Amino acid sequence: MCRPSMIRGLALLSALLWTVTSPAAESALPKGIIKLDPYPAPSLTLRDLDGEPYSLEAEQGSVVFVHFWASWCGPCRKEMPAIQRMWNKLQDTGLKIALVNTAEDEDTVFQFLAAHAPTIRPLMDRDGQQTEAWEPRGLPATYLVDARGRVQYQAIGGRPWDEPQYLAFLRSLIKAP
């Protein structure tokens, strides 16, 4: 015979086990990451600081971390070192990164990144038109593009990309079929 306290305990245990093993718990997103209805990524064709061309379309088959930023943006300044640390940990996993500076001059970008993200190749959106095509609601803005060239996730505002939950999330995207 089950006592009411035993039934309540079993119900609580059952609910806890369901929460831990449910798909919703497995797909919990890190704070600030928004799941989107997938859509084709807008074109992104720019040049880096050295004038070398970059095209997002050439990254087809890889997950791409597309990040829009500017040195005058406070949250961008705070976030950039975390992006560099994230990149240090994930650059050999197949993740690609498109670090898009929005409408600043080369000297400003060079000086800022030399101090905050020296190993990441910056892309120069000199007139801001490529950034506008992506329609971020502010800076910084990050879009995660899947291997088929579809935008799947967005993060608005600075994120601690080098923290374990963000790294695990990015690794899960890289491993996804």
Side-chain angles (χ1 to χ4, degrees), residues 8-164:
R8 281 192 302 273
L10 288 172
L12 180 62
L13 180 61
S14 175
L16 180 62
L17 286 173
W18 183 85
T19 300
V20 170
T21 60
S22 73
E26 291 174 4
S27 66
L29 297 174
K31 183 178 179 184
I33 305 290
I34 302 164
K35 173 71 174 128
L36 304 172
D37 288 331
Y39 63 90
S43 177
L44 187 60
T45 305
L46 294 168
R47 293 194 177 272
D48 67 12
L49 271 177
D50 297 324
E52 294 297 318
Y54 172 88
S55 172
L56 180 63
E57 289 77 21
E59 305 289 13
Q60 203 82 0
S62 298
V63 172
V64 185
F65 182 96
V66 179
H67 183 75
F68 295 91
W69 68 282
S71 67
W72 50 260
C73 161
C76 300
R77 296 179 70 81
K78 183 178 177 185
E79 179 185 45
M80 195 60 70
I83 292 174
Q84 177 66 66
R85 290 188 298 270
M86 174 269 295
W87 182 239
N88 292 345
K89 293 176 182 177
L90 299 181
Q91 65 184 346
D92 294 331
T93 64
L95 178 70
K96 304 294 183 179
I97 189 165
L99 195 68
V100 181
N101 177 268
T102 303
E104 291 187 292
D105 66 71
E106 290 153 353
D107 288 339
T108 301
V109 172
F110 181 80
Q111 288 177 1
F112 177 80
L113 289 180
H116 299 289
T119 66
I120 301 176
R121 173 187 180 199
L123 303 174
M124 304 297 294
D125 185 8
R126 297 181 199 296
D127 60 7
Q129 294 301 306
Q130 296 276 316
T131 302
E132 279 189 33
W134 284 71
E135 299 179 345
R137 290 187 281 170
L139 295 177
T142 303
Y143 297 85
L144 298 167
V145 179
D146 68 18
R148 294 189 290 184
R150 299 174 308 160
V151 177
Q152 292 271 357
Y153 298 91
Q154 181 181 28
I156 299 171
R159 300 284 139 229
W161 293 105
D162 59 332
E163 288 187 358

